[in-house]
Amino acid sequence: MPDPILPEDDVPAAGTPHGAALLDPVDADYPVDGKTEGNGRLCIVTRQSLPADDLIRFVAAPDGSVVPDIKRRLPGRGCWVTARRSMIDQAVKRKLFARGLKAQVKADADLGETVDRLLAADLAGMINLARKAGQFTTGASKVEQAVRGQAALAVFHATDAAADGVRKISQARKAMSFVTDNGSEVPAFRFFTAEEGDTLFGSNSFIHAAALAGQAGEGVVKRATMLDMYRDTVAMGTSRQLTP
């Protein structure tokens, strides 16, 4: 099946108004002062310039609340925070959004959890697209076969998956690392319990899965990497991504 055409804003993020106008963040966002480098944006917490893909954009809602703009498509002035849960929590605690947005705004105490939920929903939406495109497969045997056939871009396991199934796929990842050009293993992620998967995917829930080569599969890996980074696993002390 040919790859679907997937623009950058391919899957509408939860909470994003339908038909929201696209905007150029350089024209509207903080800071517009030449302090960023290239296409970077300045994090309001660290004051460091980073690529937009490493940050999350926020805007002010009419009611004065702070709204995550996961797809970077909401109109109005925005500000940026490094895409880690700990950074969002700091921005809330230090009341940095008012300065970044140049407005009297109030960020909810659970803003970090809201962002986590939106990123998870964004990943789930892309997984569903990849499945329809034939670029996402499930089942331990199919996943192991995809890894050994070098078709898998990343693998996924439920956090409560049986150790035996995880081990067999991990062995395949390790074995195939010896035949790749850079010697790296296919990344593996563990984000959701089986029960959480049922809520997100319904009848398409899985215990073991793999994103396959193709544009939609690449979109899955991009979003999984973002969610893994956001959960700040090293700082939080609970790794969600499998280690070799």
Side-chain angles (χ1 to χ4, degrees), residues 8-71:
E8 177 61 27
D9 52 339
D10 37 27
V11 181
T16 298
H18 179 70
L22 297 176
L23 73 152
D24 183 354
V26 173
D27 293 335
D29 288 3
Y30 171 83
V32 189
D33 57 7
K35 292 183 180 180
T36 58
E37 299 177 3
N39 293 322
R41 302 290 184 269
L42 194 68
C43 171
I44 63 173
V45 178
T46 66
R47 307 294 296 172
Q48 292 181 333
S49 176
L50 294 171
D53 284 348
D54 293 340
L55 299 119
I56 295 173
R57 185 176 184 267
F58 294 85
V59 298
D63 63 0
S65 61
V66 177
V67 178
D69 182 15
I70 301 299
K71 288 295 182 182

Side-chain angles (χ1 to χ4, degrees), residues 147-150 172-184:
V147 171
R148 293 190 182 278
Q150 296 184 276
R173 292 170 50 232
K174 185 68 173 179
M176 296 313 297
S177 69
F178 294 109
V179 300
T180 59
D181 293 336
N182 58 11
S184 62

Side-chain angles (χ1 to χ4, degrees), residues 136-201:
F136 194 83
T137 190
T138 60
S141 297
K142 291 183 179 179
V143 172
E144 182 179 357
Q145 182 179 4
V147 171
R148 293 190 182 278
Q150 296 184 276
L153 300 179
V155 302
F156 298 82
H157 305 287
T159 57
D160 50 357
D164 184 58
V166 174
R167 183 175 62 254
K168 289 180 179 178
I169 294 170
S170 295
Q171 289 172 345
R173 292 170 50 232
K174 185 68 173 179
M176 296 313 297
S177 69
F178 294 109
V179 300
T180 59
D181 293 336
N182 58 11
S184 62
E185 293 185 18
V186 171
F189 299 96
R190 305 185 79 163
F191 293 125
F192 315 114
T193 65
E195 183 176 356
E196 289 170 337
D198 289 341
T199 300
L200 279 170
F201 303 105

